[in-house]
Amino acid sequence: MRNLIAFLWKNYFFFLFVILEVFAVFLIVNNNYYQGRVFFNSTNDVTGKILEKYNNLTSYFALKNANKILAEENARFYNMHPESFIKTDTLAFFVNDSIYLQQYKYISAKVISNSISRRNNYLKLNKGQLHGIKEDMAVVASNGIVGQVIEVSDNFSSVMSILNTNARVSAKLKTSNQVGSLYWEGEDYQMGKLVDIPSHVRFNVGDTVVTSGYSYTYPEGQVVGIVEGFDIDPGDSFFQIYVRFSVDFNKLYYVYAIQNIFKGELIDLEQSDIKE
Amino acid sequence: MAAKNIIRFFVLLLLQVLVFSNINVNGYIYPAFYVYFILLLPFEIAGWLLLILSFLMGLGVDVFTNSLGINAAASVFTAFLRPGLIRMLKSKKEYEPGISPGIKDLGFRWFFFYALILISLHHSALFFIEAFSFKDILQTGNRIIASSTATLILVLLLQFLFYKQDKR
């Protein structure tokens, strides 16, 4: 026993190294588990505060660009405003409010930290549980999708951006409505890859790719990007389509978190399908 | 001496998470500049303290960048190899007490190789752990070379800056 202790003591540098590495690997592997999250959620509020303070300082320099983007967005909303339309046929514009039930709720938030150079990129937003943000909500910018909320604390939330090798988005070609799966390969922050589109489908370079709405997270028809090129391996019956993201992830200031109000209902329905 | 290192710990941590983690040059360069802290810890530091401090540094960066454990693992790995490397890189001057790692005490040549080797080791560990596979080895290799170079340049610049100041 004394020899063992002496041995451990003599080589403590090595054993401490092993222990710390094992702990670090444990953290890495458990990174996606709820338990690991809960522990670091409390620190999230502290780091969030610091990042927000810093962001308040630096966001001043980005004001010009942010204004431009907001102005463009305003213009688009004006385009959708009823006053921008001429009534040509009164019947076509008959709207009975009780027919419409709101399905998506938008909450605006400011990006306080963001990265594009890692394999797994995350954003932090300056709103959290208290503002109505919940896990799994979709996050979009004014010109396209950004990611999905994975973690919320009281005042802040973490978003897994689609620039994350774990992220998958159900997307479709707008022209043909063919649905595939979109992901990021981890290299160029402007390019994604759309797979599972069968080889008989016709499309053009420059076609728009939008969300399919099948995942219940993103509303249908949110812009993802534009087809820039494609590949097909000999003997393969599916395209690999390269998509240029419409959002510039290096220039994100304000985003919207979107809640699908019926998500729970839809998932319950799906689960009862599986049981039968 | 201790106070200097404690201050350096926090300054480098904040610099890393607020500035260097946000540097985005075509998605490849991620200067993990905080490794400078591990480089500059005094020679006579106890082994356990070296490991623990490196671990805390990595963990601090991880908590800010949502990459739990990755930077911590790479930092501990670097700290573990540091004493061996120092023994290997014998300099003309012996490591007398009171001497600290840096251009000022040990000369440019010594510090350049010391920094080059430790930074390369750290970044290799960091990017391989991040990729968690040897699949895209070419891409990971590019990241390691680009980022190590960036970090090395920053480290040498900062060394010269303070070297000049001390001379005055």
Side-chain angles (χ1 to χ4, degrees):
Chain A
M1 190 64 198
R2 248 177 66 200
N3 282 341
L4 180 69
I5 291 172
F7 173 73
L8 287 177
W9 181 245
K10 225 177 111 191
N11 294 302
Y12 84 94
F13 186 64
F14 177 72
F15 289 110
L16 183 64
F17 163 68
V18 172
I19 291 168
L20 287 175
E21 282 293 8
V22 168
F23 183 53
V25 171
F26 172 80
L27 284 178
I28 296 169
V29 174
N30 281 275
N31 199 4
N32 293 320
Y33 281 78
Y34 176 72
Q35 283 81 359
R37 292 272 163 201
V38 172
F39 174 60
F40 280 95
N41 229 349
S42 45
T43 56
N44 213 6
D45 251 13
V46 180
T47 58
K49 285 251 158 61
I50 296 175
L51 288 172
E52 194 185 33
K53 283 261 154 61
Y54 176 70
N55 187 264
N56 281 342
L57 201 78
T58 54
S59 65
Y60 184 78
F61 302 106
L63 270 184
K64 198 177 153 196
N65 228 316
N67 274 339
K68 197 177 131 228
I69 291 171
L70 285 175
E72 280 168 6
E73 196 177 7
N74 269 339
R76 222 172 27 255
F77 285 142
Y78 277 126
N79 287 338
M80 285 186 239
H81 198 262
E83 284 175 6
S84 315
F85 293 89
I86 302 169
K87 283 190 185 176
T88 48
D89 180 352
T90 43
L91 273 176
F93 279 86
F94 179 75
V95 173
N96 185 343
D97 268 348
S98 64
I99 294 176
Y100 290 94
L101 203 55
Q102 190 175 12
Q103 187 181 359
Y104 295 105
K105 206 171 96 187
Y106 287 70
I107 301 165
S108 81
K110 190 172 159 201
V111 177
I112 56 170
S113 92
N114 182 20
S115 72
I116 58 165
S117 59
R118 319 301 307 264
R119 290 284 180 91
N120 297 318
N121 295 295
Y122 298 89
L123 300 90
K124 277 209 175 78
L125 307 183
N126 70 341
K127 290 198 175 162
Q129 232 154 16
L130 297 178
H131 310 91
I133 306 241
K134 297 191 177 75
E135 265 176 44
D136 284 344
M137 280 172 72
V139 176
V140 302
S142 57
N143 49 354
I145 67 166
V146 171
Q148 195 173 354
V149 177
I150 52 164
E151 189 187 331
V152 280
S153 59
D154 280 350
N155 292 305
F156 300 98
S157 49
S158 278
V159 176
M160 180 168 84
S161 105
I162 47 174
L163 302 185
N164 188 310
T165 47
N166 299 319
R168 292 280 181 283
V169 179
S170 172
K172 66 181 182 184
L173 292 163
K174 202 178 178 186
T175 44
S176 58
N177 274 335
Q178 288 282 347
V179 177
S181 174
L182 182 113
Y183 65 94
W184 183 58
E185 288 186 296
E187 214 159 330
D188 185 348
Y189 77 96
Q190 294 177 312
M191 301 298 292
K193 199 171 183 184
L194 179 66
V195 293
D196 296 345
I197 300 285
S199 60
H200 67 83
V201 176
R202 293 284 155 257
F203 59 88
N204 295 317
V205 170
D207 280 0
T208 310
V209 177
V210 297
T211 52
S212 69
Y214 289 177
S215 66
Y216 313 141
T217 303
Y218 296 101
E220 191 192 337
Q222 294 284 328
V223 179
V224 178
I226 282 170
V227 175
E228 176 136 315
F230 59 89
D231 262 344
I232 184 159
D233 292 331
D236 200 353
S237 50
F238 293 101
F239 280 116
Q240 297 179 321
I241 301 175
Y242 301 105
V243 179
R244 179 169 289 274
F245 293 128
S246 54
V247 173
D248 186 347
F249 284 89
N250 210 5
K251 258 196 277 180
L252 282 177
Y253 308 113
Y254 289 93
V255 294
Y256 301 98
I258 308 178
Q259 186 188 1
N260 184 346
I261 296 167
F262 301 130
K263 185 171 183 174
E265 198 177 326
L266 286 164
I267 286 173
D268 284 349
L269 192 64
E270 194 171 66
Q271 263 153 10
S272 66
D273 283 349
I274 295 165
K275 268 179 212 149
E276 278 160 19
Chain B
M1 199 65 188
K4 213 171 159 187
N5 276 298
I6 291 167
I7 293 167
R8 197 182 290 135
F9 180 93
F10 287 107
V11 169
L12 282 177
L13 178 60
L14 283 177
L15 261 181
Q16 178 67 38
V17 298
L18 296 180
V19 181
F20 293 112
S21 288
N22 295 320
I23 288 182
N24 299 313
V25 185
N26 64 40
Y28 271 108
I29 298 182
Y30 176 79
F33 185 65
Y34 65 89
V35 72
Y36 191 50
F37 172 73
I38 303 171
L39 291 179
L40 287 201
L41 284 171
F43 286 125
E44 54 270 21
I45 190 171
W48 61 272
L49 194 60
L50 173 66
L51 288 174
I52 299 261
L53 283 177
S54 305
F55 181 77
L56 289 180
M57 188 63 174
L59 195 70
V61 175
D62 280 333
V63 169
F64 274 93
T65 55
N66 267 325
S67 55
L68 230 47
I70 293 175
N71 286 297
S75 300
V76 172
F77 176 71
T78 315
F80 176 67
L81 295 175
R82 199 188 94 137
L85 179 73
I86 289 175
R87 252 176 277 130
M88 255 170 59
L89 286 173
K90 287 242 168 64
S91 84
K92 274 172 235 156
K93 290 184 190 172
E94 277 307 307
Y95 304 126
E96 302 152 14
I99 266 184
S100 56
I103 292 181
K104 200 178 75 169
D105 287 345
L106 290 159
F108 177 77
R109 231 174 93 86
W110 184 90
F111 186 78
F112 177 78
F113 284 110
Y114 171 71
L116 175 73
I117 295 170
L118 271 194
I119 290 172
S120 312
L121 286 170
H122 175 270
H123 283 48
S124 306
L126 180 68
F127 289 109
F128 273 114
I129 295 167
E130 193 187 21
F132 227 73
S133 78
F134 290 99
K135 213 178 69 195
D136 299 321
I137 195 155
L138 210 69
Q139 194 192 337
T140 311
N142 282 341
R143 268 165 200 253
I144 292 169
I145 293 169
S147 305
S148 302
T149 313
T151 309
L152 185 64
I153 290 171
L154 286 168
V155 164
L156 292 177
L157 274 178
L158 215 69
Q159 269 291 308
F160 273 118
L161 213 68
F162 281 90
Y163 177 47
K164 286 264 161 66
Q165 266 183 9
D166 284 349
K167 248 179 153 181
R168 229 177 271 149

